[in-house]
Amino acid sequence: MAQVLYPKLAVIGGGLIGSSLIRAARAAGVVGEVAVADASERARERIVALGLADFTTADVAEAVKDADLVVFAVPVLAMGEAARAAAAALKLGATLTDVGSVKASVAEALVTAAPAGVFVVPGHPIAGTEQSGPDAGFAELFLNRWVILTPLKREDEPYLDAVQRLADFWKALGSNVERMDAAHHDLVLAVTSHLPHLIAYNIVGTAADLEEVTQAEVMKFSAGGFRDFTRIAASDPTMWRDIFVANKDAVLEILGRFTEDLQALSRAIRWGESDKLFELFSRTREIRRGVIDAGQESPEPNFGRDHRAP
Ligand code: NAP
């Protein structure tokens, strides 16, 4: 029998990630009581119907009362408001974490809202799908996926113990845990996740706006490449709007580099520099092999669900 790491878990936002976390934590036996606060009435109804929580409410303060672990699983720009709503009701010694896809601004929002005597340990599971809501969640979502924790620059023992306990929690859910500086996390994710989503949103938008090619043709002749982009571009609009607003600096920096490289590619195509094209396509094939070797792509695409984005 697994050890209960947190007698009471409170999750703020019981959507895809929040509900998956509850399912996984219960399956692993590492939490006792579970309370959920969600702003959406529909989500609350589904959370009750699915039997995900012992207590479901719209009131954040009510949910976090007596909780040992509070997980904020709302869109990135809603984190501050949710943390402020929780602040006065938090238990002394509780650990506050989140699952937001951007770390520096969310960490600042949590720290600003948190009262003294609670431990803020921001986090981000690199696991997800393009679905939203409690029904889309599943217990295996975090299995063999990375969770990045971005602890504060604190060296006191109670804080380090809280960080370790949270790392143990994620490991019990099947994840690998890495610690990272929040700003570095935002740069890494701008490359590996945020820019790819921006490209997908843009290419699908471009195809939709083309006048010479009809939308019916775009859908009918959707080849593998475009089809994959449409899956990514179907991701939740609120969540992605928030990510680009909250990670503006890192995304713009990487976008600048990307645009320069794209210009070089455009030149190579214009001037028939086939060696340059071949060299790049060979190099990128190696990177794909590296991703597979790193275990971040399985031969079976996980029942059709993508466990990596964003
Ligand atoms: P989701 O399925 O849309 O669930 C979020 C839920 O939180 C919704 O029911 C939403 O209600 C509710 N909510 C919004 N603001 C709230 C507030 N202030 N107080 C209480 N509830 C609130 O979202 P998700 O995909 O689980 O994403 C949650 C977080 O995880 C985001 O920060 C995202 O960046 C991060 N993340 C997502 C993925 C992914 O693949 N989806 C992967 C890793 C990390 P309304 O619908 O009424 O707003």
Side-chain angles (χ1 to χ4, degrees), residues 6 69 95-100 103 107 120-126 146-152 159-171 175-185:
Y6 299 105
L69 176 64
T95 294
L96 246 63
T97 190
D98 74 291
V99 295
K103 291 276 58 80
V120 175
V121 188
H124 177 204
I126 314 297
W146 285 100
V147 170
I148 300 177
L149 297 182
T150 62
L152 311 182
Y159 183 73
L160 297 180
D161 288 348
V163 175
Q164 187 56 49
R165 184 172 289 253
L166 186 63
D168 291 343
F169 170 81
W170 279 111
K171 284 181 195 158
S175 303
N176 306 311
V177 177
E178 179 116 344
R179 297 171 197 204
M180 206 181 268
D181 170 72
H184 188 65
H185 164 280

Side-chain angles (χ1 to χ4, degrees), residues 13 15-17 38-40 73-76 79 99-101 125 127-129 132-133 239 309-310:
L16 168 72
I17 302 294
D38 200 296
S40 154
V74 296
V76 166
M79 295 281 183
V99 295
S101 308
T129 75
S132 310
M239 174 177 145

Side-chain angles (χ1 to χ4, degrees), residues 69-88:
L69 176 64
V70 178
V71 182
F72 293 96
V74 296
V76 166
L77 294 184
M79 295 281 183
E81 181 202 322
R84 283 191 294 278

